Amino acid sequence: MKQFLLAAILIVVCLFSYSQKTFYYKLKVVPYKNEKVNKIYVAYEIAGIKFIDSLSIGKKEFVIDKKLTQPVSAVIYTNDKQTGSKAIFLANNIFTAAIIKNRITLNKSKLQEDFLFLTANDRVRPRYFPLYGELSSTNDTAG
């Protein structure tokens, strides 16, 4: 009986420790000199709760080091709308970001390339949905 109880406790402890696995992401921002861009943001959603991590950028390297409960897709952008945004996937990875000619550039990784490949249709879809609605309202099956 003691062996059974000890084994059950051991199994529960192992399951509990396994279920508490955490994920992380780290974003390093290289030094940048521009009066327009002074903050960088990482926005994502977990379990219906929206998060926005921010970082002031300047003349030295700054780092966001964040723990997550699960891997998640996110958007990285700055306080300057002309800089644009980038889709990223946060899952135990380290990004190095630089702002070059009003664009956010990120280091290449296999995970990031796979994520962008798999979500390419999601970035194109908003452009063709209005056209699809227009064609279907006029019963244009050839279109």
Side-chain angles (χ1 to χ4, degrees):
M1 183 67 170
K2 286 183 180 182
Q3 290 176 340
F4 175 76
L5 186 58
L6 183 61
I9 291 172
L10 186 60
I11 289 172
V12 169
V13 168
C14 287
L15 288 175
F16 181 73
S17 65
Y18 179 74
S19 67
Q20 297 298 320
K21 183 176 180 180
T22 59
F23 295 89
Y24 71 92
Y25 82 92
K26 188 181 280 192
L27 175 68
K28 296 178 183 180
V29 181
V30 295
Y32 181 68
K33 297 176 186 176
N34 182 332
E35 291 90 32
K36 291 182 180 180
V37 179
N38 55 19
K39 272 201 157 252
I40 197 161
Y41 301 94
V42 180
Y44 53 94
E45 185 176 326
I46 297 177
I49 301 170
K50 294 182 180 185
F51 297 90
I52 299 177
D53 301 331
S54 65
L55 184 66
S56 295
I57 54 178
K59 296 179 182 177
K60 61 180 184 174
E61 181 177 280
F62 290 94
V63 177
I64 295 176
D65 194 354
K66 182 83 176 207
K67 291 188 179 186
L68 304 168
T69 56
Q70 67 186 44
V72 65
S73 64
V75 175
I76 184 170
Y77 60 97
T78 69
N79 62 301
D80 182 24
K81 302 284 187 216
Q82 293 178 347
T83 305
S85 62
K86 285 268 190 188
I88 57 175
F89 190 70
L90 309 175
N92 295 340
N93 43 9
I94 299 172
F95 292 99
T96 301
I99 300 166
I100 301 171
K101 296 182 182 178
N102 291 333
R103 296 180 85 192
I104 299 171
T105 60
L106 298 169
N107 59 312
K108 301 232 180 206
S109 72
K110 179 73 172 134
L111 178 64
Q112 181 68 9
E113 288 175 3
D114 290 347
F115 170 71
L116 292 175
F117 176 76
L118 291 172
T119 59
N121 190 40
D122 294 339
R123 290 186 301 279
V124 173
R125 189 177 303 144
R127 285 184 259 161
Y128 68 78
F129 267 178
L131 177 62
Y132 178 75
E134 184 181 313
L135 293 173
S136 63
S137 68
T138 60
N139 291 327
D140 185 355
T141 57

